[in-house]
Amino acid sequence: MIALLLALSMQAAAPAAPVTVQPADPLPADWVTIPDDEVLVMTLAGGGTVTVRLAAGYAPAHVGNIRRLAAARWWDAGGSVYRVQDNYVAQWGDATEKKPLPEGVVANPPAEYEWTGGAAPVAKLTRRDPYAEWAGYSADGWPLAGSGTATWLPHCYGMVGVARDLAPSTGSGGDLYTAIGHAPRALDRNIAVVGRVIEGIERLSVLPRGTGDLGFYKTEGERTAIVSVRLASDLPAAERPHYQYRATANPRFTAWIATRENRTPPFFVVPAGGADICNAMPPVRRMPTP
Amino acid sequence: MIALLLALSMQAAAPAAPVTVQPADPLPADWVTIPDDEVLVMTLAGGGTVTVRLAAGYAPAHVGNIRRLAAARWWDAGGSVYRVQDNYVAQWGDATEKKPLPEGVVANPPAEYEWTGGAAPVAKLTRRDPYAEWAGYSADGWPLAGSGTATWLPHCYGMVGVARDLAPSTGSGGDLYTAIGHAPRALDRNIAVVGRVIEGIERLSVLPRGTGDLGFYKTEGERTAIVSVRLASDLPAAERPHYQYRATANPRFTAWIATRENRTPPFFVVPAGGADICNAMPPVRRMPTP
């Protein structure tokens, strides 16, 4: 199997243990534990789980709603994955559109699609992005894109957004989707991005594509039921999964970006000299067991 | 269901019938039938088919091999989809790596990764691509990317490439893959791109992800067997599927590009002012029945 393994080995998740420290290697302290109340665990019928890191600092009103919906167990009774469109999104929530929102959930929060001012990106990619003047990273491990004045979270594979109706609707957060194909970046600045799937996206990406318009399932029986959605902080301590993001404001991360922009021999013949942000997503991992 | 349908309706495959002709609407003559010997039909166990348009004019040696492999029914006995890596590729061919190549198949064709000179793109996107100086379209409906001197087929979702070992291997064409996630554009100029899946990619994109390194299945039983791979021109005339690409060298297509670069209200609040080539793939359709 050697040849086939080599054939496309450049995207290996786990390189062989390096003999010497490389400039792009993180220090142990570069891995920062994500707070339990930023980790949302969705369990699907059949037992699979999908874990989302919430962008609490970037879309606080929508994330506040999501936390309240999880606390109220709003998705647990009747929630489902009801739409899967190939090369686009998997979407879940209340397919009936009739379920009342719990106390404290704002039906139509402010449009948290982009922001002005605030912290600058701590690292940037080399080339211009087709959807932005620049693309880069926040200090706390989020991908960013921006214009001269605005900054936003880009719609990369696995990023989670809030489904909404026509403006002025911004979506409550009860219906969410994640990108399961080429990044649908035209949605940037038009929808609230509230998180990123950090584990288990394959539970969604392998689901049968819906055959109705826009990938909606035509029948209720095709949907995948949601068993529960919980913040990790609402789980018993022993059951909480722990994740870490890689800190970006350091020269090791800058070196890592360079490795994404110019892949190396022996496999690569021509390095690209650049990358798009969705092919250079900031690393996240499970916290190692001590 | 109105709200949910509207929620992400901007990527609808089939817009409502227009009341008036729009500048981006194709004329009937803009749809050009793809020759039968450029259409490759792969039937998988379970009955699903995946149809590939071959880039015969862009990677002629590799496509010549693929045609000979199909004529020899090389994939039909023992061929399988043996690797599916989430957000990357589905790969098929001979998992044993032991099957002899048929007479006339060149084990290591020239590296058809890019070309210099030749026809210029007939239409281009507005913004610079992170992986190329420009991105655009051939007259015959292929996406293109290029530097000042070279042109190549970009690794967008659904594009088909030839798996290979380390250079100087270029791959025979017996093992192929297609992108099923965010476009792995770092592979551009490093691999022969030989086609595009034009129907049935969801047969591959929903397959279980392999749990071995790089998404290889750990056991033979996880693979999906290939029943047959045939050129449409080798099928009985009555059984041939027919497809058409949309011609690009006309002002209607230029207007279509603009619609991809700037999505419109009422859903969109902020148009992007640009698009990447993989979010603006040239349209292909089944030939309508007369």
Side-chain angles (χ1 to χ4, degrees), chain A:
Chain A
M1 192 68 94
I2 296 298
L4 293 172
L5 281 170
L6 287 169
L8 284 166
S9 63
M10 48 286 173
Q11 191 139 319
V19 178
T20 56
V21 173
Q22 300 296 315
D25 291 342
L27 299 177
D30 289 345
W31 292 105
V32 182
T33 300
I34 297 170
D36 290 346
D37 68 352
E38 283 185 18
V39 175
L40 191 72
V41 181
M42 174 165 71
T43 303
L44 299 176
T49 60
V50 180
T51 307
V52 174
R53 180 185 182 193
L54 295 172
Y58 301 90
H62 284 88
V63 169
N65 269 1
I66 291 167
R67 286 170 166 161
R68 284 179 207 105
L69 288 160
R73 310 198 168 187
W74 188 78
W75 285 288
D76 300 17
S80 67
V81 185
Y82 53 75
R83 175 193 184 192
V84 185
Q85 184 173 356
D86 197 67
N87 190 20
Y88 198 43
V89 297
Q91 187 171 321
W92 62 92
D94 169 32
T96 71
E97 297 194 271
K98 289 179 181 168
K99 202 162 178 169
L101 293 174
E103 182 80 21
V105 173
V106 182
N108 205 33
E112 300 172 309
Y113 305 162
E114 61 184 20
W115 59 92
T116 55
V122 297
K124 286 186 183 181
L125 296 174
T126 301
R127 290 206 182 145
R128 180 170 178 184
D129 181 289
Y131 295 91
E133 300 294 328
W134 57 265
Y137 304 90
S138 73
D140 58 345
W142 289 95
L144 299 177
S147 66
T149 54
T151 304
W152 60 89
L153 295 170
H155 268 82
C156 295
Y157 191 97
M159 295 293 280
V160 176
V162 175
R164 65 166 171 87
D165 205 336
L166 295 182
S169 167
T170 67
S172 68
D175 293 281
L176 300 169
Y177 63 87
T178 188
I180 58 161
H182 188 69
R185 299 282 309 279
L187 295 174
D188 288 8
R189 317 177 76 178
N190 286 280
I191 277 191
V193 175
V194 290
R196 175 184 175 191
V197 176
I198 54 176
E199 191 173 294
I201 193 161
E202 67 277 9
R203 305 290 181 180
L204 298 169
S205 58
V206 303
L207 291 175
R209 279 39 180 163
T211 56
D213 287 345
L214 306 173
F216 284 87
Y217 292 124
K218 285 181 175 169
T219 61
E220 195 177 327
E222 294 171 277
R223 297 176 191 152
T224 299
I226 295 172
V227 174
S228 66
V229 178
R230 295 282 183 283
L231 279 177
S233 51
D234 288 337
L235 295 173
E239 294 175 20
R240 295 177 192 171
H242 296 290
Y243 298 88
Q244 299 178 316
Y245 67 83
R246 181 170 171 177
T248 58
N250 58 72
R252 299 166 297 284
F253 190 79
T254 309
W256 176 85
I257 293 174
T259 67
R260 299 300 296 174
E261 295 191 321
N262 289 292
R263 309 289 181 93
T264 50
F267 186 87
F268 283 88
V269 181
V270 179
D276 83 58
I277 184 68
C278 300
N279 275 325
M281 290 289 277
V284 173
R285 68 174 190 181
R286 275 253 188 184
M287 186 167 75
T289 46

Side-chain angles (χ1 to χ4, degrees), chain B residues 65-75 229-231 234:
Chain B
N65 270 1
I66 291 167
R67 286 170 166 159
R68 285 180 207 102
L69 288 161
R73 309 197 168 188
W74 187 79
W75 284 288
V229 178
R230 295 281 184 285
L231 280 177
D234 289 336

Side-chain angles (χ1 to χ4, degrees), chain B:
Chain B
M1 191 70 93
I2 295 298
L4 293 172
L5 281 168
L6 285 170
L8 284 166
S9 64
M10 48 288 169
Q11 190 139 314
V19 177
T20 56
V21 174
Q22 301 297 316
D25 291 342
L27 300 178
D30 289 345
W31 292 105
V32 182
T33 301
I34 297 170
D36 290 345
D37 68 352
E38 281 185 19
V39 174
L40 192 72
V41 181
M42 174 164 71
T43 303
L44 298 176
T49 61
V50 180
T51 307
V52 174
R53 180 186 181 192
L54 294 172
Y58 301 89
H62 284 88
V63 169
N65 270 1
I66 291 167
R67 286 170 166 159
R68 285 180 207 102
L69 288 161
R73 309 197 168 188
W74 187 79
W75 284 288
D76 300 18
S80 66
V81 184
Y82 53 75
R83 175 193 185 192
V84 184
Q85 185 173 355
D86 197 68
N87 190 20
Y88 198 42
V89 297
Q91 187 171 319
W92 63 93
D94 168 33
T96 71
E97 296 194 273
K98 291 180 179 167
K99 204 164 177 170
L101 294 172
E103 181 80 19
V105 173
V106 182
N108 205 32
E112 299 174 311
Y113 304 163
E114 59 182 24
W115 59 92
T116 54
V122 298
K124 286 187 183 179
L125 296 175
T126 301
R127 288 206 184 147
R128 180 167 178 188
D129 182 289
Y131 296 90
E133 299 294 327
W134 57 266
Y137 304 90
S138 73
D140 59 344
W142 288 97
L144 298 176
S147 66
T149 54
T151 305
W152 59 89
L153 295 169
H155 269 81
C156 295
Y157 191 98
M159 294 294 279
V160 176
V162 175
R164 67 166 170 85
D165 205 338
L166 294 181
S169 167
T170 68
S172 68
D175 293 282
L176 300 170
Y177 63 87
T178 189
I180 58 161
H182 189 68
R185 298 284 308 281
L187 296 173
D188 288 10
R189 314 178 78 180
N190 285 282
I191 276 191
V193 175
V194 291
R196 175 184 174 191
V197 176
I198 55 176
E199 193 173 293
I201 192 158
E202 67 279 7
R203 304 289 182 182
L204 298 170
S205 58
V206 302
L207 291 176
R209 278 38 177 164
T211 55
D213 287 345
L214 305 173
F216 284 88
Y217 292 124
K218 285 182 176 170
T219 60
E220 195 176 327
E222 294 171 277
R223 297 175 190 153
T224 300
I226 295 172
V227 174
S228 66
V229 178
R230 295 281 184 285
L231 280 177
S233 52
D234 289 336
L235 295 172
E239 294 176 19
R240 297 178 191 171
H242 296 290
Y243 298 88
Q244 300 178 315
Y245 66 83
R246 180 170 172 177
T248 59
N250 59 71
R252 297 166 299 284
F253 189 79
T254 309
W256 176 85
I257 293 174
T259 67
R260 298 301 294 173
E261 295 191 322
N262 289 292
R263 309 292 181 91
T264 50
F267 187 85
F268 283 89
V269 180
V270 179
D276 83 58
I277 184 68
C278 301
N279 274 326
M281 289 289 278
V284 172
R285 68 174 190 182
R286 276 255 186 181
M287 186 167 77
T289 46

